[in-house]
Amino acid sequence: MQHETYIRRCLDLAEKGSGNTAPNPMVGAVLVFDNRIIGEGYHAQYGACHAEVACIENVSSWDRQLIPNSTLYVSLEPCAHHGKTPPCANRIVQEGIKNVVVCQADPFAKVNGRGFEILRSNGITVTENILAEEGRWQNRRFLCFHEKKRPYIILKWAETTQGFFAPQDRSRWQISNKQAQQLTHKWRTEESAILVGTRTALHDNPQLNARYWKGKQPLRIVLDRALALPETLHLLDGSIPTWIINERKENCLDKTQYIQLPFNENLLPALLSRLYQQNILSLIVEGGAQLIEAFIDASLWDEARIFRAPSELQEGIAAPTLQHSHEMAHHQLGNNSLRIYAHLQNNYFSTPQDKE
C-alpha cells in the first residue's frame, strides 16, 4: 500500500504535463526518505528535463545528503538513451539511489527494459508494475503509438436525443451546449491532431482550433481529394499548421502542407502511417458522419466521446453507430450528456475511476 500511495502521487504529478509532453510520455517522480517526500518532479513539456531529474533537482540543499538512502518512485521506466536530455537511468546511478519503484515499463524501442537493466546492473533494487493499469491508461497515447505503430484515435461527435447527427441538407446546426463546446476545446489542447472530412469543412467551415481553452493548438487535417475546397475557409487561412490530404500534389506552403495519398480502401491506414512517421501521438476525428463511420468500420478507433442533447431537429442524418464498444464513463453537462466508450480491443482502460 505504501508503494501504491507514492506511485499514485507520481501519476498525479505526471498529469500536470498533459497535452505538453508529446511525443514523450507523461511522467511523474517522487523521492522518499523514511516515509517523507523530499523531492517531486514531472515532465512538464517536450524538451524539458525528465521527471526523475526534476525530482532530484527539487530536493532542498539540507536534504541532499539523504538522496542515496531514499527510494525513488517513478510512473514510467527511466530512459536509457540520449535524446533531448541525457539518460535518466544514468543520473539515478550517479546519485547513488539504491531502490527504485516503477509503475510500468516503457515500450519505446530505445528504452524497453534497458533502463531497468542499467539500474539492476549497478546494484539498484527495482520493483515494477505498481498500479500498472492506471499508468497504461494515463499514457495510452504514448503506448498505442509505440505498440500499434499509429496514433491513439478518438472519435468525437454530438447527436440529438433522437439520434440525428446533422440536418438532412448538411447545414450547420449546433447540437451541444456551451459547456460541451468548452470541454471540446480543452480536449483539442490535449491531442496532437484533429481531422474532418470535405463535407464538414465545406458546410460547417470549422476553425478546428482551441479558442475556449488555453493551450497548444492541434495540427489541423482535412480531406480534400480534388482540392476543391474554397480558399476562403478557415481551415485554409494559414493561421496554424494544417494538412490538406489530397490525390493531386504534395508540397508545403508556409503552415499549410499538402499531403498526397490514394483515396481508396488504403486511405485511412496510409494517413495513420504518415502521422506515425511525423511523431503524431493522437488524433481526434470530429466529422462528418461518413468519415467517422469509416473509422468505425475499419476498427480504427480507441476511444469515442459522444454528446447527446435535446434539439428541435426532427429529421436529419443518422449519427454513427459504434461497434465492439465498452462504456467507460457517463457525465452530465447541463442538458447535455457525455458518454465515453473504449474499443473492446483497447487494452489501455482499467477501472471506471481511472477513465473519467
Side-chain angles (χ1 to χ4, degrees):
M1 289 300 297
Q2 185 183 50
H3 284 345
E4 290 187 1
T5 297
Y6 292 124
I7 287 295
R8 184 160 278 112
R9 177 57 183 163
C10 291
L11 295 172
D12 290 343
L13 289 167
E15 197 65 33
K16 293 184 176 183
S18 177
N20 297 312
T21 63
N24 286 350
M26 294 180 281
V27 185
V30 174
L31 196 60
V32 179
F33 175 80
D34 195 21
N35 293 321
R36 179 170 67 90
I37 294 176
I38 63 171
E40 292 186 336
Y42 67 97
H43 187 37
Q45 62 182 27
Y46 178 65
C49 64
H50 288 188
E52 300 92 324
V53 174
C55 174
I56 293 169
E57 295 294 337
N58 284 334
V59 176
S60 64
S61 57
W62 54 86
D63 278 338
R64 292 201 62 81
Q65 76 275 10
L66 304 177
I67 292 177
N69 295 311
S70 300
T71 297
L72 178 67
Y73 291 84
V74 61
S75 60
L76 192 70
E77 176 184 0
C79 67
H81 65 293
H82 284 270
K84 292 282 185 180
T85 62
C88 292
N90 290 358
R91 177 63 182 270
I92 295 169
V93 172
Q94 291 168 9
E95 293 289 342
I97 296 170
K98 300 176 181 62
N99 293 285
V100 176
V101 180
V102 181
C103 175
Q104 61 177 329
D106 186 341
F108 181 40
K110 293 183 178 180
V111 184
N112 197 21
R114 291 181 176 86
F116 292 146
E117 183 180 346
I118 290 173
L119 298 181
R120 288 179 170 128
S121 66
N122 282 276
I124 297 173
T125 299
V126 178
T127 304
E128 302 178 47
N129 297 319
I130 305 299
L131 299 181
E133 287 189 355
E134 294 183 26
R136 284 185 66 79
W137 176 251
Q138 182 177 74
N139 270 318
R140 58 196 183 278
R141 299 161 182 83
F142 177 79
L143 297 172
C144 177
F145 183 83
H146 289 287
E147 294 173 352
K148 298 183 179 180
K149 310 302 180 187
R150 64 160 175 80
Y152 186 86
I153 301 169
I154 300 168
L155 308 180
K156 176 265 168 184
W157 73 85
E159 61 183 50
T160 70
T161 50
Q162 292 85 8
F164 297 125
F165 184 87
Q168 200 66 51
D169 62 2
R170 300 183 186 278
S171 60
R172 184 176 178 85
W173 187 282
Q174 188 65 50
I175 296 175
S176 56
N177 62 22
K178 290 184 178 180
Q179 291 170 281
Q181 292 171 45
Q182 186 177 39
L183 180 58
T184 294
H185 283 238
K186 177 180 183 293
W187 289 341
R188 289 177 180 177
T189 68
E190 296 169 348
E191 310 306 335
S192 302
I194 183 170
L195 168 68
V196 294
T198 308
R199 289 176 176 173
T200 297
L202 186 61
H203 294 286
D204 290 358
N205 191 20
Q207 298 182 55
L208 296 190
N209 57 17
R211 303 181 301 283
Y212 307 139
W213 198 268
K214 185 178 180 181
K216 68 174 183 60
Q217 302 291 345
L219 169 69
R220 303 185 299 192
I221 307 173
V222 59
L223 303 183
D224 186 11
R225 181 174 188 171
L227 296 177
L229 291 175
E231 295 182 357
T232 54
L233 293 181
H234 293 309
L235 287 174
L236 304 181
D237 62 11
S239 60
I240 56 178
T242 304
W243 283 11
I244 312 297
I245 309 301
N246 71 96
E247 277 192 330
R248 299 193 173 184
K249 67 178 182 179
E250 175 135 3
N251 60 33
C252 185
L253 299 173
D254 194 19
K255 294 181 179 180
T256 302
Q257 187 169 354
Y258 292 86
I259 306 290
Q260 188 175 16
L261 294 176
F263 274 63
N264 54 30
E265 65 276 6
N266 293 318
L267 174 60
L268 296 186
L271 173 59
L272 296 177
S273 177
R274 193 64 174 262
L275 290 169
Y276 176 77
Q277 293 170 18
Q278 294 298 313
N279 276 337
I280 303 298
L281 262 62
S282 60
L283 173 70
I284 302 180
V285 184
E286 285 206 9
Q290 185 175 350
L291 179 59
I292 291 174
E293 289 281 12
F295 275 90
I296 294 172
D297 291 343
S299 203
L300 287 172
W301 67 279
D302 301 289
E303 190 176 335
R305 302 171 180 177
I306 305 171
F307 292 105
R308 287 184 64 109
S311 173
E312 296 178 357
L313 191 64
Q314 297 301 314
E315 59 180 16
I317 299 170
T321 302
L322 287 177
Q323 302 171 15
H324 313 297
S325 63
H326 169 79
E327 184 174 335
M328 303 190 305
H330 181 199
H331 306 281
Q332 199 68 31
L333 291 85
N335 66 345
N336 285 200
S337 68
L338 167 63
R339 294 183 184 273
I340 301 178
Y341 299 86
H343 196 290
L344 284 176
Q345 295 178 353
N346 179 336
N347 62 344
Y348 305 113
F349 67 84
S350 53
T351 59
Q353 68 179 25
D354 306 320
K355 300 179 288 240
E356 295 182 1

